[in-house]
Amino acid sequence: MATTTGFVQSFFLGSGPLACAWVGPTPNSTEAVFTRDASLAGILSQAQVTGREVDVGHPDDSGEISTVATRPCTPAATPLHLDGIEVTQSIQDLAQSVPLIAGKATVVRVFLGNSTASTMTVRGRIAVRRGPDDPVTVVASAANAVLDPAHAGDIPAQRNRLGRSLDFPLPPSVLGDGPLTVALSAAVDVGTGAPVPVGCRREPSVWFHRSPPLRIRVLGMRYALGGVTHVPSNLDFDFLFSWLRRAYPVGQLVQSQTLVTATAAAPFTDVDVNAQVAAIRALDVDSGEDNRTHYYGFVSDTGFWMRGGAAVPPTADPTAIASGPTGRTAFSWDTDGSYGDWYGGHELGHTFGRRHPGFCGETQEDLDGYPFPGGKLADRDDSFCGYDVGDPALGLPRAVLPGLDWTDVMTYCADEWMSPYTYQGIRTRLLEEDALGSRSRASGVPAFADAVAESLPAGAGGQPDPRVGVPPVLPAPEPDRSREPGRVGGTGSLLRPTVVSVVATVDLTRRSGRIVHVHPVPSTVPTAPDPTSPYALRVLGSDGRTLATIPVPVTPQAREEPGADDTGIVAAAIALPAGAAALELRTGDRRLDAFRAADPGGGEPPAALRGEVSGPDVVLDLGREARPGTSYVVQVSDDGRRWRTQGLGRESRFAVDRREARDGSLRVRITQTDGFTSTVIAEETIRA
Amino acid sequence: MAETTGLVQQLLVFSGPSACAWIGPTARNAEVLLVSSGSGSTADAAFAESLIHTLSAAATNYRSVIAAHADTDATIQSVSIEAV
């Protein structure tokens, strides 16, 4: 009787049944065996997909299988044994049930049991391979592992503390979508320098899934209080983006940031910020921003502490807005220098539909849905475990976050990370949002991001922000839009929109509301009416006659305190009938607020347009305030095709984030608007 | 003979045994194939069981499969899991 030992490299099952398996140490060194027994076939297929070694018994002169056995682990023969392998990116269990995201930082954790009499310190190497004929990439362990004999075979004990397993950060070159096979290729006793044989070999294969990026624009809200101007620090922005890359289910962050002056006077609320951010987002998307981009308002706590708040859309909706505070020391468990990172992860989580589980003082909107007691990441020591891959550029080390010690980011508990429930939920929403596409423009001309994305290789998943080192692939020049109805380009030209963005804040408990921002968005597809909404926008003519009544969707905000009113934001683009002069926000037969567009009378060129560098800003001086009933929209651009909003308001001076400048100059466009119509009154390049 | 290649995106198992399997590169780009006990003979039932077992292992471990079926029939006749 012969025995063929190795991994099941290939497996075939045909009718009969007849199963064939190619068994051996490598894909190119195998022996073919076969069976008609369903149970034997079952074990072979399981062994193949889990990467377990098998002993296959068969007659000397035949390949027909007599027996199949998984190889026993015999510590007496090899005292150092492979207890398990885990491939993790943010949160994972030993069954590898959390999908791996292509392009996301990944660590292979190898758990070695030490059945000798004394503690051993080891380092190691793994060999990873994409396909059977692909070259092997060897990866060294990031640090030594101290193997205590008391932990042999006890994977939770090895897993829940850094330094008890060999951890291998994988190079980006092996993180593309598709399979990856992992094998431990060497373990070395650090004390002696001698290689140590390891028993109980296994070579699991995992799969990296292509996934959409997280598109996010963070607006640092500039405000003055007590004569001091407050903005989030560069560290705050860096920590937020880093946390999202490390914790969220994304392999790529398409990120951008800027500073904008808050229109509400400090101390303002998250409702004020969210309304302004919603208005800015509508203007940016109308000017070419990818419609799948999430916008986040970021408020420094150096002047006052603003509680965060966010919309919680019931279905995929990238227009949902969030805002939150940031600073150094508001939370005792977070000592790395900025808490705005996980706090932003919490508020942004709401915009992906995630609700409060209800364990640490937050509202209990998802108490029945959250799967683990106490808001923890897991319900057993051997199930899910968090892993922070760290960020050396920010001085953040790798960290193990045991599932029974750490809590979900959507709670108000301490020690927050991503549970598999929140991780998978956000990933599902990202996939749904990505399927919406980036086109939101009525003209049919693709948005900048669309045109660029279409020119990128398949799977590129969006256009990286040019400021993060990847040069953009420029699209073909846009068609001449000057003949499109509703828009005439160029300075001094009247832009005659048929669509306006209306942002209103509403209190669903008290049935009250207020119109906050109204701006023309001529290229935006109108929001689909929501017949079930209790709120509507009524369009009136100059004689007060009703021209249209449009029920508008309300995105509910997360209730940040038990017992607080239910609030929401209306951020709708509505088509204006000819002759429109005013808007009313209504619920039932009650008028809550009204907006009347001033007689546009064309735009007035600014008395002057000067830019002056002032610290981190370029201050634009327009020479005079916008006349009553009108306001300015200040936008900047890299190329004259996509414009990003930097300021809203009537004032004569606007601060623009100096980082928006390119090669020392700032391309600026100033639009004057009465809410229904607008005029470009200046478009210039200013030295910065 | 046609072949459908990809991950087992979804597997729906019925008594019989029989099953429906969605196989393809992505959830939105998958073909639905069938596992059938055929005539109900012992051999056919054993094969169906083995197929379901293999497909479920591939599904839960994200292994790509190659499922062979007739050109005009969705009933799986064989399944292969290649080396990685």
Side-chain angles (χ1 to χ4, degrees):
Chain A
M1 182 67 74
T3 302
T4 298
T5 297
F7 297 97
V8 181
Q9 302 290 349
S10 297
F11 178 82
F12 170 87
L13 179 68
S15 63
L18 172 67
C20 301
W22 287 259
V23 179
T26 69
N28 297 319
S29 171
T30 59
E31 214 168 296
V33 291
F34 68 94
T35 182
R36 300 183 195 281
D37 185 299
S39 300
L40 293 177
I43 255 199
L44 288 170
S45 67
Q46 277 290 349
Q48 184 194 26
V49 300
T50 56
R52 297 294 298 270
E53 262 190 317
V54 291
D55 287 329
V56 178
H58 56 90
D60 293 332
D61 57 355
S62 166
E64 183 158 9
I65 298 171
S66 309
T67 59
V68 176
T70 53
R71 304 211 76 212
C73 285
T74 51
T78 46
L80 204 60
H81 40 88
L82 184 56
D83 287 345
I85 294 180
E86 180 181 36
V87 184
T88 183
Q89 297 180 319
S90 168
I91 185 80
Q92 191 55 274
D93 65 355
L94 294 170
Q96 295 288 148
S97 67
V98 178
L100 297 173
I101 309 294
K104 187 170 173 60
T106 304
V107 172
V108 175
R109 303 191 69 193
V110 174
F111 306 109
L112 295 176
N114 173 13
S115 293
T116 68
S118 52
T119 300
M120 187 189 307
T121 301
V122 298
R123 63 178 187 271
R125 291 193 301 276
I126 57 171
V128 298
R129 175 167 50 78
R130 298 311 307 265
D133 299 318
D134 289 334
V136 164
T137 299
V138 176
V139 184
S141 55
N144 298 338
V146 177
L147 307 180
D148 186 335
H151 301 147
D154 183 356
I155 294 184
Q158 298 174 39
R159 192 166 172 239
N160 289 340
R161 187 83 60 87
L162 207 61
R164 292 183 180 173
S165 61
L166 286 176
D167 292 357
F168 301 84
L170 295 182
S173 58
V174 301
L175 301 179
D177 59 302
L180 185 77
T181 301
V182 179
L184 179 69
S185 60
V188 174
D189 184 328
V190 172
T192 64
V196 182
V198 177
C200 311
R201 290 176 59 203
R202 64 191 71 183
E203 294 185 0
S205 294
V206 295
W207 191 281
F208 289 92
H209 298 261
R210 183 182 300 188
S211 296
L214 170 61
R215 301 174 176 86
I216 180 169
R217 181 160 174 79
V218 179
L219 307 183
M221 306 307 292
R222 184 191 298 109
Y223 66 90
L225 199 60
V228 178
T229 299
H230 301 271
V231 294
S233 68
N234 288 334
L235 193 76
D236 289 323
F237 283 102
D238 291 344
F239 267 59
L240 172 60
F241 291 134
S242 174
W243 195 93
L244 293 173
R245 266 193 299 273
R246 292 169 7 242
Y248 262 47
V250 293
Q252 183 188 12
L253 214 61
V254 180
Q255 69 192 60
S256 67
Q257 65 184 77
T258 197
L259 298 175
V260 297
T261 302
T263 50
F268 41 75
T269 68
D270 59 291
V271 174
D272 297 320
V273 173
N274 287 348
Q276 181 181 356
V277 173
I280 289 174
R281 185 185 185 283
L283 288 165
D284 286 357
V285 169
D286 190 67
S287 300
E289 180 62 76
D290 191 311
N291 187 45
R292 295 165 294 188
T293 304
H294 283 247
Y295 273 57
Y296 183 67
F298 211 25
V299 181
S300 169
D301 68 0
T302 53
F304 75 101
W305 195 77
M306 182 201 79
R307 183 169 209 151
V312 190
T315 57
D317 183 1
T319 70
I321 300 295
S323 60
T326 186
R328 281 185 62 85
T329 58
F331 297 87
S332 58
W333 61 270
D334 182 354
T335 57
D336 62 11
S338 176
Y339 66 83
D341 48 3
W342 57 265
Y343 204 115
H346 172 105
E347 299 300 344
L348 282 165
H350 284 313
T351 69
F352 289 102
R354 311 316 299 168
R355 296 173 295 165
H356 295 142
F359 293 101
C360 292
E362 72 273 16
T363 53
Q364 298 182 327
E365 288 134 6
D366 201 16
L367 192 62
D368 292 338
Y370 193 79
F372 308 120
K376 299 297 183 185
L377 305 184
D379 56 359
R380 293 192 329 269
D381 208 11
D382 60 351
S383 65
F384 295 96
C385 183
Y387 196 96
D388 185 345
V389 299
D391 190 338
L394 297 178
L396 299 173
R398 288 179 298 114
V400 170
L401 314 173
L404 296 184
D405 296 339
W406 284 68
T407 55
D408 185 65
V409 70
M410 299 312 298
T411 68
Y412 286 0
C413 308
D415 301 320
E416 293 189 358
W417 192 246
M418 297 286 271
S419 70
Y421 179 68
T422 297
Y423 191 85
Q424 302 270 46
I426 290 176
R427 179 161 184 261
T428 299
R429 274 293 175 95
L430 276 168
L431 289 165
E432 292 167 352
E433 287 185 7
D434 199 58
L436 296 174
S438 65
R439 293 168 192 267
S440 65
R441 302 169 60 133
S443 68
V445 174
F448 172 85
D450 254 344
V452 174
E454 285 165 4
S455 70
L456 291 173
Q463 166 64 9
D465 187 319
R467 289 169 290 183
V468 293
V470 179
V473 177
L474 295 179
E478 278 197 359
D480 178 7
R481 302 179 61 226
S482 62
R483 288 181 174 73
E484 293 176 17
R487 176 179 284 275
V488 177
T491 304
S493 304
L494 180 66
L495 302 176
R496 298 187 298 273
T498 57
V499 182
V500 296
S501 158
V502 180
V503 178
T505 58
V506 298
D507 187 314
L508 300 163
T509 302
R510 299 173 196 269
R511 285 293 175 99
S512 62
R514 183 171 69 96
I515 296 173
V516 186
H517 297 281
V518 182
H519 290 103
V521 285
S523 301
T524 298
V525 174
T527 306
D530 179 2
T532 68
S533 172
Y535 292 87
L537 288 171
R538 179 169 291 177
V539 185
L540 306 173
S542 55
D543 57 358
R545 191 166 49 95
T546 297
L547 301 179
T549 301
I550 304 164
V552 287
V554 176
T555 307
Q557 302 276 109
R559 204 172 343 131
E560 294 297 340
E561 284 180 15
D565 285 354
D566 287 331
T567 60
I569 287 215
V570 171
I574 63 168
L576 292 179
L583 285 175
E584 290 181 346
L585 176 67
R586 303 187 68 90
T587 181
D589 57 3
R590 284 175 53 217
R591 187 184 78 170
L592 302 178
D593 199 7
F595 171 87
R596 175 165 289 276
D599 179 7
E604 301 159 340
L609 182 56
R610 287 186 297 270
E612 181 183 303
V613 174
S614 175
D617 300 326
V618 174
V619 178
L620 300 179
D621 188 346
L622 276 63
R624 60 167 165 248
E625 289 186 353
R627 72 171 187 280
T630 70
S631 63
Y632 295 127
V633 175
V634 177
Q635 296 176 309
V636 298
S637 174
D638 296 340
D639 54 12
R641 280 180 289 218
R642 183 171 67 165
W643 295 90
R644 294 178 170 180
T645 305
Q646 292 290 299
L648 306 172
R650 290 192 58 230
E651 50 268 42
S652 63
R653 291 165 64 86
F654 288 86
V656 172
D657 189 341
R658 196 173 170 195
R659 288 170 294 194
E660 297 285 354
R662 296 288 175 271
D663 299 323
S665 39
L666 203 58
R667 188 165 181 169
V668 178
R669 180 171 80 179
I670 314 291
T671 305
Q672 187 170 7
T673 178
D674 69 346
F676 282 10
T677 60
S678 58
T679 305
V680 176
I681 60 173
E683 185 174 328
E684 292 182 27
T685 300
I686 294 174
R687 296 297 303 168
Chain B
M1 180 71 73
E3 288 183 344
T4 298
T5 300
L7 298 177
V8 181
Q9 301 291 343
Q10 186 177 359
L11 187 66
L12 192 58
V13 180
F14 305 94
S15 63
S18 60
C20 295
W22 284 258
I23 297 173
T26 67
R28 294 176 189 273
N29 181 16
E31 207 167 308
V32 58
L33 300 176
L34 306 175
V35 175
S36 167
S37 301
S39 64
S41 67
T42 305
D44 285 348
F47 176 55
E49 199 173 315
S50 291
L51 266 183
I52 292 170
H53 194 103
T54 301
L55 291 171
S56 65
T60 55
N61 288 278
Y62 296 108
R63 289 298 296 270
S64 184
V65 301
I66 304 171
H69 51 94
D71 291 337
T72 57
D73 191 325
T75 303
I76 297 174
Q77 297 183 3
S78 71
V79 70
S80 303
I81 304 178
E82 295 292 298
V84 288

